[in-house]
Amino acid sequence: MDTPTARRPRLGVFKFASCDGCQLTLLDCEDELLGLAAQVDIAHFLEASSAVEPGPYDLSLVEGSVTTAEDAERIRRVRAESRHLVTIGACATAGGVQALRNFADVEEFRAIVYARPEYVETLATSTPIAAHVPVDLELQGCPIDRGQLLEVITAFLSGRKPDIPRHSVCFACKRRGIPCVTVARGTPCLGPVTHAGCGALCPSYGRGCYGCFGPSGSPNLPAMIPLLRSDGMSDEDVLRVLHTFNTAKFAAIEQETGPS
């Protein structure tokens, strides 16, 4: 007598306001993706296939920020259909570079950019998914690291907690034997306050970290900002380097710690 085949977990991948780069990271897994596809049913992933199956989904990966009223409604539906929901990338975890609108007049932006702004419906802010629904895990990065993404999915399939590092880029530099660009060259670097995950890519080429993976743990911005100034950055430069991919998260920390 044949034994019944166990149901494979159902995977959903969803896009909100974003550049698609984090979804492409999943597709770039190539050989690993073939093995993954044998262990899950990819029920919803428009970047890969137009074939869509309705929920519920055992694991949902969500890329992008909430920038429209429709987005806010749709993410609630995705959450209701998802047993586990993981946000991937700076847009989904911090609002993305589009969150720069949060510090200006979005109506002015809309009037300047679009010939017929009255046809463009948008919220005044770009916000992370966690601002709207409960999130089980945030995977930071712009884009995310493929190794970390595979670790999250593998951990889910194995029923264990993902092993995602919480240390800073400085720790990654030490592990790779990369000389500190700030100490050795006086190069401004956000490594001390940035979440690891890129493998210290920029410092490995002698460049300072740009903060692509967002703030790590409890970053000490009151100590970091004067260091950036001492390395030759103006107040305007400091503001710009903190207000990029993860502007909303860095801004929130600035508000908590006060001006530096």
Side-chain angles (χ1 to χ4, degrees):
M1 180 177 179
D2 294 335
T3 56
T5 303
R7 183 182 69 86
R8 293 189 299 180
R10 306 180 79 239
L11 173 68
V13 183
F14 299 89
K15 169 187 164 59
F16 287 77
S18 62
C19 71
D20 290 27
C22 293
Q23 292 180 86
L24 290 175
T25 298
L26 177 55
L27 293 176
D28 285 343
C29 290
E30 297 177 345
D31 292 342
E32 295 93 341
L33 186 60
L34 294 176
L36 174 64
Q39 299 182 60
V40 300
D41 284 330
I42 302 178
H44 187 291
F45 189 5
L46 291 177
E47 190 78 17
S49 172
S50 59
V52 173
E53 298 178 15
Y57 309 99
D58 295 292
L59 174 64
S60 289
L61 305 176
V62 177
E63 176 195 72
S65 63
V66 173
T67 61
T68 67
E70 182 183 0
D71 285 343
E73 180 181 348
R74 185 161 64 95
I75 189 55
R76 288 192 288 269
R77 294 199 302 268
V78 172
R79 174 70 269 190
E81 295 179 337
S82 305
R83 182 183 173 199
H84 300 282
L85 189 148
V86 176
T87 52
I88 57 174
C91 294
T93 61
V97 72
Q98 59 268 30
L100 287 169
R101 73 165 74 176
N102 301 0
F103 308 98
D105 183 0
V106 72
E107 294 302 326
E108 181 181 1
F109 286 156
R110 184 159 57 176
I112 292 173
V113 173
Y114 299 100
R116 300 297 299 272
E118 64 271 21
Y119 292 125
V120 179
E121 295 185 3
T122 184
L123 298 174
T125 58
S126 173
T127 47
I129 299 301
H132 300 267
V133 297
V135 169
D136 297 301
L137 179 70
E138 291 186 333
L139 195 59
Q140 296 176 203
C142 186
I144 54 174
D145 174 71
R146 57 179 285 181
Q148 289 190 359
L149 177 60
L150 289 170
E151 165 60 17
V152 166
I153 298 175
T154 301
F156 167 75
L157 292 172
S158 303
R160 61 174 175 80
K161 183 178 179 180
D163 182 15
I164 303 297
R166 298 300 174 191
H167 52 257
S168 71
V169 171
C170 287
F171 187 85
C173 281
K174 296 296 185 295
R175 293 188 65 178
R176 291 191 57 184
I178 300 171
C180 177
V181 296
T182 298
V183 173
R185 306 181 183 185
T187 301
C189 180
L190 289 179
V193 297
T194 298
H195 192 286
C198 65
L201 180 61
C202 288
S204 70
Y205 287 93
R207 304 180 66 177
C209 170
Y210 288 94
C212 301
F213 274 67
S216 62
S218 300
N220 189 352
L221 284 184
M224 184 76 250
I225 292 175
L227 180 60
L228 294 174
R229 291 176 179 145
S230 69
D231 288 328
M233 297 186 76
S234 66
D235 288 346
E236 183 179 4
D237 290 336
V238 171
L239 185 65
R240 285 178 175 174
V241 79
L242 291 176
H243 288 182
T244 55
F245 318 101
N246 295 276
T247 180
K249 281 198 172 185
F250 277 120
I253 296 168
E254 287 181 271
Q255 290 177 353
E256 291 176 2
T257 57
S260 301

